[in-house]
Amino acid sequence: MIQCALSKGMFKRLKAILKSEWAALDYIEIPNDKWYLDKELNELYEFDNGIFVAHSGFEQNLYEGYGSIKVLTKDAVVVEVEKSEDVIHVLNPESIKAPSWTIE
């Protein structure tokens, strides 16, 4: 019984080595726009070099210049912005344009 348990554990480890759970990517989705706004969370998302940086809002249509890395929310819409040294101003906060993606 002990020998059976040991061999079962060995085969389990060998299976994990020989047949991994990960596979190659079939495709990658890349957003077509740079700026996205989630009105409910009051966050502005910037797509930069493959990651989304979320900027938090502090006044109406004004957002912090710095941000943190987050995943884009499903409710985000495409917006146009004007960026200055310290703040980011959203020019069209009432936009309803949904994000579009390119598959590569």
Side-chain angles (χ1 to χ4, degrees):
M1 193 170 185
I2 294 172
Q3 185 64 30
C4 181
L6 290 173
S7 66
K8 185 177 180 181
M10 181 182 68
F11 286 123
K12 191 175 186 180
R13 286 189 292 274
L14 285 174
K15 183 179 177 185
I17 293 170
L18 298 174
K19 184 180 179 186
S20 68
E21 297 178 15
W22 304 100
L25 295 175
D26 293 336
Y27 63 92
I28 298 173
E29 292 182 341
I30 301 170
N32 294 328
D33 301 290
K34 183 172 174 116
W35 295 97
Y36 303 88
L37 177 66
D38 187 341
K39 297 171 195 167
E40 190 175 306
L41 295 176
N42 195 26
E43 287 186 328
L44 179 67
Y45 294 88
E46 175 185 11
F47 182 73
D48 185 31
N49 293 325
I51 58 172
F52 285 100
V53 179
H55 304 273
S56 44
F58 63 92
E59 283 185 26
Q60 187 173 358
N61 302 334
L62 292 178
Y63 294 83
E64 299 287 348
Y66 60 89
S68 59
I69 297 173
K70 287 192 175 181
V71 177
L72 183 67
T73 61
K74 293 180 181 179
D75 299 329
V77 294
V78 177
V79 292
E80 294 178 17
V81 302
E82 186 177 280
K83 197 171 182 180
S84 68
E85 290 180 19
D86 299 331
V87 297
I88 303 168
H89 180 257
V90 176
L91 301 175
N92 59 339
E94 300 305 320
S95 172
I96 57 170
K97 182 181 174 188
S100 60
W101 304 82
T102 301
I103 297 176
E104 290 189 10

